[in-house]
Amino acid sequence: MINLYHYLFLVRRTFLIIVTYILVLSCQFEKESALTEGKLLAGKYCSSCHLFPEPALLDKKTWINGVLPAMAGQLGIEVLQGNVYLTDKKSVLTGKEWSRLVEYYKTLAPDTLQKATVPVVASDDWCNFTLKKPAENPDAVSSTTMVAIDEKRHQIVTSSSERSAIYEYSSNLEIILSSDLPSAAIDISFAQQTSQEDIITCMGGMQAADHTKGQILEYRQKDSKANLLSSDLIRPIQTRPLDYNKDGLQDYVVCAFGHNRGGLYILKQDADHTFEKVPVREVPGATQSVVQDFNHDGWPDIMTLFAHGDEGIWLFLNNQHGGFTTKNILRFPPSSGSSSFQLIDMDKDGKEDIVYTAGDNSDYSRILKPYHGIYIYKNTGNLHFEKSYFYPVNGCTKAIAADFDKDGDIDVAVIAFFADFKSNPAQTFLYFEHVNEGITFKPHNVPVAASGRWICMDASDYDNDGDIDIVLGNYSKGFLNQENVKPSWNIHTPFVVLENNILNKKNK
């Protein structure tokens, strides 16, 4: 016969097990419910501004201490020392909803991001290049913001934030002219005809802020005179000519980066030769544009990279009535750090592909990211592009694709301003030699990491010998994201030239 005491003990223990099980299930259900709600909230509010940011894009610490507190302000929430404050009527979330959104990222984000594995290890060699340098300035830290090769005049043109000016160098890398500017130049569009002038874009300041106003200048090189076309754009960083309404007057398309403001604009020239600002897409982060007749209707269209928040490449088809029809070509997560793109036929199929770089790393998530690097998107027809190549490059800043070795296919030169200076400083400059058929490359670490920190690059035939040379601009003031890193490179040389010797080698 079962002892009554033992029976009651069994009943009590069973009851406790059932209650504990119910509590565990309840907690698990509550947690899963909270994560589901957090994901729905992130999808609703984060995706209203940009592509949905998956938790796996960043580590927990960066989400919690960097990105989410910065994004809270966009939702009317202020986060101070871990405390959440609603900013009156501007708040679109309750405190509980915000906590659940944060918990979603905190729970699912990894502790650390895994390092990317390179598909092919780069070799260390100079390839076909020889290093050339101008004279150093031992009293100044290089802060070059622009380098450009003027192929017609066989000169190199630079600018610097140290002194707002434009510098012109001879083919011997000697300064032959310098002219003051209202702020540092970041872009120049050289005149294609003798009746035209160069167009200089001055960004107003390095900081991507909404109060930073830059200038667009028409520059006459023969007498170093600059004519102001506009001073009403928020941190403009590129200007390209076009006659978008076909009235015979020169207009310009301008990328204005900004922070919360900015966008893509047309500077429309009126009959009295003054310019008015016509918005094309008023979204901050406009970085680079290509003007081309994409639909072959005889009117100029615009393809533009946006690299802040809502990152991606958009096409603006001219509607022939003073406006544009917008089409998204590619879209990237907001942590991508889009930095440049180029249209060029990489696989000889007669269609222009997209060479794209991701690596800007100066905002709220200053960590090494395995998805930074160079991408190639193959044009499959009808303006549809599919990823066909990726090579990881920490902090990748710009790529220039061209036939550097004169063998009939397209190679790629790449710089990385936010490189991994602790573990892989050689990645500050890489040369991708196109080998075999299709899109296959042999990467080279060209040993210029000790000569500077490269923020800008241009490629053209500066020495008039028939091949394409490369110029790299050195910016050595600040922007060091990694702890305990000090410059191990030359900080006094404004730029270097990688002089291409491929034709000399072939003629021997």
Side-chain angles (χ1 to χ4, degrees):
M1 191 176 211
I2 299 177
N3 183 282
L4 179 61
Y5 177 81
H6 184 62
Y7 173 76
L8 292 174
F9 172 78
L10 290 175
V11 170
R12 184 182 179 187
R13 189 175 69 171
T14 303
F15 176 76
L16 290 174
I17 291 173
I18 293 172
V19 169
T20 303
Y21 182 68
I22 291 172
L23 289 174
V24 169
L25 285 178
S26 177
C27 291
Q28 185 176 349
F29 176 78
E30 173 65 21
K31 184 176 181 180
E32 290 177 356
S33 177
L35 290 177
T36 299
E37 183 181 356
K39 182 177 181 179
L40 290 173
L41 289 168
K44 179 179 179 180
Y45 293 104
C46 300
S47 298
S48 65
C49 296
H50 46 65
L51 196 65
F52 178 74
E54 296 287 350
L57 289 170
L58 302 169
D59 61 78
K60 293 184 193 298
K61 181 179 178 182
T62 302
W63 277 120
I64 303 306
N65 299 332
V67 173
L68 290 175
M71 294 301 101
Q74 304 294 327
L75 303 174
I77 294 172
E78 187 174 4
V79 180
L80 292 175
Q81 297 179 343
N83 298 312
V84 177
Y85 303 92
L86 306 183
T87 56
D88 302 324
K89 296 180 181 179
K90 295 181 180 179
S91 303
V92 298
L93 294 175
T94 66
K96 182 179 179 181
E97 287 174 328
W98 173 252
S99 296
R100 293 202 163 180
L101 188 152
V102 171
E103 189 64 26
Y104 167 68
Y105 284 97
K106 183 178 180 180
T107 302
L108 297 183
D111 293 328
T112 58
L113 297 185
Q114 290 187 348
K115 292 184 178 181
T117 302
V118 296
V120 180
V121 177
S123 59
D124 298 320
D125 56 67
W126 285 97
C127 297
N128 306 307
F129 299 103
T130 300
L131 184 66
K132 302 289 185 182
K133 299 180 181 181
E136 292 185 15
N137 183 353
D139 299 323
V141 176
S142 295
S143 56
T144 304
T145 56
M146 181 191 77
V147 290
I149 297 175
D150 185 347
E151 187 172 333
K152 290 184 177 180
R153 301 182 182 97
H154 310 299
Q155 296 174 0
I156 292 174
V157 180
T158 75
S159 190
S160 167
S161 63
E162 176 69 22
R163 174 193 166 194
S164 296
I166 189 166
Y167 303 89
E168 297 172 29
Y169 289 80
S170 69
S171 57
N172 295 324
L173 305 186
E174 297 176 346
I175 292 181
I176 55 175
L177 184 65
S178 63
S179 304
D180 289 335
L181 297 172
S183 63
I186 192 172
D187 177 70
I188 185 168
S189 178
F190 292 113
Q192 299 302 309
Q193 301 176 16
T194 55
S195 59
Q196 298 174 333
E197 307 297 344
D198 300 337
I199 300 299
I200 295 176
T201 305
C202 300
M203 62 181 166
M206 288 295 291
Q207 184 180 8
D210 294 333
H211 63 266
T212 303
K213 295 291 185 73
Q215 304 82 27
I216 313 300
L217 304 170
E218 188 179 61
Y219 182 71
R220 295 200 307 266
Q221 197 173 77
K222 58 186 176 183
D223 55 10
S224 304
K225 293 292 181 64
N227 175 39
L228 181 66
L229 302 183
S230 173
S231 59
D232 190 37
L233 290 158
I234 299 172
R235 200 167 175 267
I237 59 175
Q238 190 208 47
T239 306
R240 290 293 178 266
L242 81 169
D243 181 5
Y244 91 108
N245 53 4
K246 299 185 75 170
D247 64 354
L249 299 174
Q250 184 70 80
D251 311 307
Y252 300 94
V253 58
V254 184
C255 293
F257 196 95
H259 183 63
N260 293 313
R261 298 168 58 201
L264 183 69
Y265 299 93
I266 298 287
L267 288 182
K268 176 180 174 292
Q269 186 173 179
D270 295 327
D272 62 356
H273 302 297
T274 60
F275 290 86
E276 61 176 299
K277 185 172 65 174
V278 178
V280 179
R281 184 175 187 248
E282 286 194 293
V283 175
T287 298
Q288 181 186 350
S289 290
V290 172
V291 176
Q292 200 169 294
D293 182 7
F294 288 95
N295 57 359
H296 310 292
D297 64 353
W299 289 71
D301 310 306
I302 306 166
M303 187 177 286
T304 302
L305 172 66
F306 285 79
H308 179 68
D310 194 7
E311 299 194 21
I313 296 174
W314 275 262
L315 176 63
F316 304 95
L317 294 171
N318 199 319
N319 66 12
Q320 305 180 20
H321 299 288
F324 296 87
T325 301
T326 303
K327 175 182 174 65
N328 178 243
I329 300 298
L330 295 170
R331 207 170 180 207
F332 312 112
S335 61
S336 295
S338 301
S339 49
S340 76
F341 86 107
Q342 183 180 347
L343 288 167
I344 190 167
D345 185 1
M346 296 296 298
D347 53 5
K348 302 181 186 178
D349 66 352
K351 298 188 293 289
E352 288 186 317
D353 309 298
I354 290 177
V355 178
Y356 160 81
T357 59
D360 186 5
N361 217 3
S362 60
D363 267 337
Y364 308 116
S365 57
R366 300 180 179 184
I367 59 172
L368 299 176
K369 302 180 176 77
Y371 44 86
H372 276 177
I374 175 174
Y375 295 76
I376 295 175
Y377 290 88
K378 177 178 171 57
N379 188 342
T380 59
N382 298 318
L383 295 172
H384 182 263
F385 296 85
E386 295 181 355
K387 187 174 79 170
S388 61
Y389 181 83
F390 170 66
Y391 192 96
V393 180
N394 284 304
C396 195
T397 303
K398 186 175 183 178
I400 296 180
D403 185 7
F404 289 102
D405 56 8
K406 307 295 285 186
D407 64 352
D409 54 25
I410 303 300
D411 316 295
V412 187
V414 171
I415 57 170
F417 184 66
F418 293 104
D420 182 357
F421 291 103
K422 286 186 175 180
S423 302
N424 197 3
Q427 274 199 337
T428 54
F429 178 81
L430 284 165
Y431 171 67
F432 291 83
E433 177 190 0
H434 200 151
V435 294
N436 303 323
E437 294 296 326
I439 300 178
T440 308
F441 296 95
K442 178 182 178 182
H444 301 262
N445 286 323
V446 179
V448 293
S451 299
R453 185 184 180 190
W454 317 121
I455 196 172
C456 48
M457 170 174 61
D458 195 22
S460 192
D461 185 7
Y462 100 99
D463 55 2
N464 198 29
D465 67 350
D467 52 28
I468 299 174
D469 311 294
I470 300 171
V471 57
L472 308 175
N474 180 10
Y475 194 97
S476 292
K477 286 193 172 183
F479 293 103
L480 285 168
N481 292 344
Q482 294 174 293
E483 295 180 357
N484 303 318
V485 170
K486 294 182 179 180
S488 58
W489 55 87
N490 187 313
I491 64 172
H492 302 298
T493 302
F495 66 91
V496 300
V497 175
L498 292 174
E499 189 177 274
N500 196 340
N501 300 306
I502 186 64
L503 291 180
N504 291 334
K505 289 184 177 181
K506 287 187 174 184
N507 291 332
K508 287 183 178 179

